[in-house]
Amino acid sequence: SLQAFVNQNIWLMLLFAIIVGLLPLSGPHLLFFTLFIEQAIPFSILLANSIVQEGHAGIPLIAEDKKAFFILKGIKILIALLVGIIMIIFNV
């Protein structure tokens, strides 16, 4: 089952959620939201994805200043990793 896979590979799911959050689209976030509603993933995975993901709002920043976009994404990745790791360790 999906829930058993997630529980056995929680760290992999955290990285996957962050990588998917890098896409400057809002659609992939719906997948994590749906999985959370169905109780297939814990809140820590949804929150990590939500921190990194900003939807289409990042597209104008890419056009204006690519360096600023990547700096912003780097900061968001670090925050998402930190929050995700802490929440997984404390089983939130």
Side-chain angles (χ1 to χ4, degrees):
S1 82
L2 181 60
Q3 192 168 12
F5 175 79
V6 170
N7 290 335
Q8 293 172 356
N9 300 295
I10 193 75
W11 301 108
L12 183 63
M13 287 301 298
L14 177 62
L15 291 176
F16 180 67
I18 291 172
I19 290 169
V20 169
L22 293 175
L23 300 172
L25 305 167
S26 56
H29 178 67
L30 186 59
L31 169 70
F32 289 95
F33 182 74
T34 304
L35 289 172
F36 174 72
I37 293 298
E38 294 176 357
Q39 299 179 343
I41 62 170
F43 181 68
S44 56
I45 303 299
L46 175 66
L47 183 60
N49 177 262
S50 298
I51 290 170
V52 176
Q53 206 275 338
E54 76 263 335
H56 292 90
I59 293 174
L61 184 56
I62 292 173
E64 185 66 31
D65 188 358
K66 288 179 180 59
K67 182 179 177 184
F69 174 79
F70 289 111
I71 290 172
L72 176 65
K73 281 294 188 179
I75 292 169
K76 291 173 103 178
I77 289 169
L78 291 176
I79 292 170
L81 274 173
L82 182 64
V83 170
I85 289 169
I86 290 170
M87 290 183 76
I88 289 171
I89 289 172
F90 289 106
N91 203 19
V92 176

